[in-house]
Amino acid sequence: MVLGTTSGAGKSWLTTALCRYYSNLGLKVAPFKAQNMSNNARVVEGIDGAWGEIGSAQYFQALAARAVPEVRMNPLLLKPEADTRSQVVLLGQVSAELTALPWRGRSQLVWPQIAAALDQLRAENDVVVIEGAGSPAETNLHASDIVNMRVARHAGARCLLVTDIDRGGAFAHLYGTWALLPEGERALIHGFVLNKFRGDASLLAPAPLHLQERTGVPTVATIPMQWHHGLPEEDGVFDDRTLTPGAVHTTVAVVAYPRISNLDEFQPLKNVPGLRLQWVRSPADVAGLRPSDWIVLPGSKATAADLAWLRAQGLDQSIAAHAGQGGTVLGVCGGLQMLGEALIDPEGIDGNGPGLGLLPLVTVFEPAKTVQRTSAAFGQLTGAWAPLSGATACGYEIHHGQTAQHPAMAAKGNVAREVMPGIAWQNPAGNVLGVYLHGLFEDAAVLHALFGAQAPTLETVFDSLAEGVARHFDPGVLDALIA
């Protein structure tokens, strides 16, 4: 099990690397995270043939393990809709009852399903690599814990505790986390991992030895900073320091509203030579864009609220101005809904409001949630999207609401061109495209058609991660964890 001293310490990265490392040994491997809080989700195999949702990190970990991603790998997913409210997804399906419960009130109700999912995966696989969440030493959460030490105790897991040494205070973080754990749980910690290290590792002495003298736990790995590891970020926006060096021919500006979702699907764009991927939060961020540059409205877990935020920043005018000069604009899922004329919410699902008016469409929110894998062919496209005409695209849909032509505007002849039935629409000028399909840029053929370039495949990324942990862990440690 991989635990962390903080969020962002590197748990997901290390778990993914270990999944591929153990798979490369010829073992049958599965990832597991009892509870994930993220608006980055993937559509995977569910119970009884139904599609379900899990966190993107577990989806990629399953691929690294060469396993079929499925809902037992992340039985509980919390998708934040506001600072104090999250949609609860249990075993792939939205649960209105659990969503309505207080945070601590859910634990005892969901633990049996979490434990059963873990036990089944353990019975079916040689190795299960478990990821924790946040820190295991949050004393206010320990009594209701269902994702860290309760899971570790249930599985008798051998745990690694990873910290981000680039933040500073790494040894204090490690010691403090260990010290706050009950004595019986400390015994499950088998090694400390220093992640994101920059500099001369010999200068760390004698701190690792002093830490071991105080805790009895060795520091088993010092992993260097990796700006270009190629794995999609689980949460938060990616760092500008990950930009590909060299001459830039196209900028793709992604609007980073508060409830942005599925941002991991843009990871492949980071790896395209000559393409600059940046985050946009104000009109100043898009002031220098050329018509050949893109503005992307990504997915959102709270479309109406994020659209209101976008207007409050003045970005609605900036986006309209870019589109008005022929600039390329792409809306994905919630972004597609924002591009239309109106959001209509008769059931109180998301919120009503006017859209940006760049596509003559209207979206009606419905209680039923569309969750499915999708493969469909584009019709005839124009503008920047013309190279995709006739191409088949594979991806996934996760959305409330259905989108259609605005009836009054259609009656006057203002009609969006439906270039993928029920999924994608383009304006007559050809510079604005809205799609419900997530994962478009994860298709190598799509990247090549649009940018004439290839990005590293996920298989290359996973193997590189596995090779890295094999090199930076002390000899024998990784094999001993599963002995």
Side-chain angles (χ1 to χ4, degrees):
M1 184 171 186
V2 179
L3 302 167
T5 57
T6 61
S7 294
K11 294 184 293 292
S12 295
W13 179 95
L14 183 53
T15 301
T16 307
L18 294 178
C19 281
R20 177 50 60 99
Y21 174 85
Y22 290 122
S23 176
N24 282 347
L25 298 181
L27 300 169
K28 187 178 181 183
V29 183
F32 181 81
K33 185 168 185 174
Q35 175 181 279
N36 200 344
M37 177 177 278
S38 178
N39 277 331
N40 296 324
R42 294 285 169 142
V43 177
V44 300
E45 293 186 3
I47 306 299
D48 298 327
W51 293 112
E53 297 178 69
I54 64 171
S56 291
Q58 283 64 63
Y59 171 84
F60 289 112
Q61 288 161 5
L63 297 185
R66 299 184 175 92
V68 177
E70 46 124 324
V71 296
R72 293 181 301 171
M73 295 170 177
N74 175 209
L76 194 66
L77 175 62
L78 308 180
K79 305 186 77 173
E81 298 176 321
D83 287 346
T84 58
R85 183 182 70 253
S86 294
Q87 183 184 70
V88 178
V89 179
L90 179 64
L91 290 172
Q93 303 301 313
V94 174
S95 171
E97 294 76 15
L98 291 174
T99 299
L101 288 177
W103 180 285
R104 289 183 172 87
R106 301 186 192 121
S107 298
Q108 295 307 314
L109 293 177
V110 299
W111 175 250
Q113 292 97 320
I114 288 173
L118 176 56
D119 290 344
Q120 291 163 11
L121 290 175
R122 292 174 64 202
E124 296 166 11
N125 292 275
D126 301 315
V127 179
V128 176
V129 185
I130 305 169
E131 181 185 341
S135 163
E138 303 290 358
T139 54
N140 59 312
L141 300 176
H142 193 272
S144 56
D145 170 45
I146 54 171
V147 64
N148 285 309
M149 300 316 294
R150 186 170 186 178
V151 173
R153 294 195 309 269
H154 180 81
R158 294 170 179 174
C159 300
L160 297 171
L161 181 61
V162 59
T163 193
D164 177 357
I165 196 170
D166 194 53
R167 294 186 178 188
F171 292 101
H173 285 159
L174 290 169
Y175 179 76
T177 301
W178 175 88
L180 284 171
L181 293 176
E183 186 173 350
E185 294 178 0
R186 294 177 190 170
L188 296 173
I189 308 296
H190 283 243
F192 296 138
V193 176
L194 301 172
N195 190 29
K196 305 181 186 179
F197 180 72
R198 292 187 281 178
D200 181 355
S202 67
L203 298 178
L204 294 171
L209 178 60
H210 289 169
L211 185 62
Q212 184 170 357
E213 289 172 349
R214 288 170 170 80
T215 65
V217 179
T219 298
V220 295
T222 300
I223 300 174
M225 178 68 77
Q226 300 180 64
W227 297 117
H228 299 278
H229 57 69
L231 192 67
E233 301 289 342
E234 180 187 16
D235 292 300
V237 298
F238 40 75
D239 196 299
D240 282 347
R241 287 171 289 186
T242 62
L243 293 174
T244 300
V248 173
H249 58 69
T250 305
T251 295
V252 176
V254 182
V255 180
Y257 18 74
R259 301 301 166 193
I260 187 172
S261 67
N262 297 85
L263 59 88
D264 54 289
E265 66 180 307
F266 302 111
Q267 166 69 36
L269 296 180
K270 292 170 59 180
N271 303 325
V272 174
L275 191 151
R276 178 178 180 232
L277 193 61
Q278 72 174 67
W279 296 105
V280 170
R281 295 188 177 89
S282 72
D285 295 333
V286 298
L289 294 184
R290 302 161 300 173
S292 59
D293 295 324
W294 296 21
I295 292 179
V296 177
L297 301 179
S300 167
K301 191 62 187 71
T303 304
D306 277 347
L307 181 54
W309 172 89
L310 185 151
R311 283 199 167 93
Q313 313 311 307
L315 279 166
D316 56 333
Q317 299 176 43
S318 299
I319 296 167
H322 184 69
Q325 66 173 353
T328 303
V329 177
L330 172 67
V332 181
C333 198
L336 155 67
Q337 295 171 345
M338 293 182 191
L339 290 175
E341 289 290 329
L343 306 174
I344 300 175
D345 188 13
E347 303 290 340
I349 303 299
D350 192 288
N352 298 288
L356 297 175
L358 296 181
L359 289 172
L361 304 172
V362 61
T363 295
V364 179
F365 292 111
E366 301 172 345
K369 190 176 188 180
T370 299
V371 178
Q372 61 188 25
R373 299 286 302 179
T374 300
S375 178
F378 280 108
Q380 187 63 42
L381 291 154
T382 59
W385 322 104
L388 297 181
S389 297
T392 297
C394 299
Y396 58 101
E397 295 179 61
I398 305 177
H399 57 90
H400 283 286
Q402 301 298 324
T403 298
Q405 304 283 350
H406 190 291
M409 299 181 73
K412 297 179 179 179
N414 188 357
V415 178
R417 294 193 302 110
E418 193 170 16
V419 294
M420 188 179 284
I423 298 174
W425 295 262
Q426 187 176 31
N427 68 336
N431 63 313
V432 179
L433 176 68
V435 300
Y436 266 126
L437 191 69
H438 288 289
L440 190 63
F441 301 117
E442 294 172 346
D443 187 322
V446 168
L447 280 185
H448 189 267
L450 291 174
F451 302 109
Q454 296 292 131
T457 67
L458 280 173
E459 285 298 302
T460 300
V461 171
F462 295 147
D463 284 333
S464 177
L465 296 181
E467 188 276 331
V469 295
R471 185 169 68 252
H472 296 298
F473 269 78
D474 290 347
V477 168
L478 296 180
D479 294 338
L481 288 173
I482 63 169

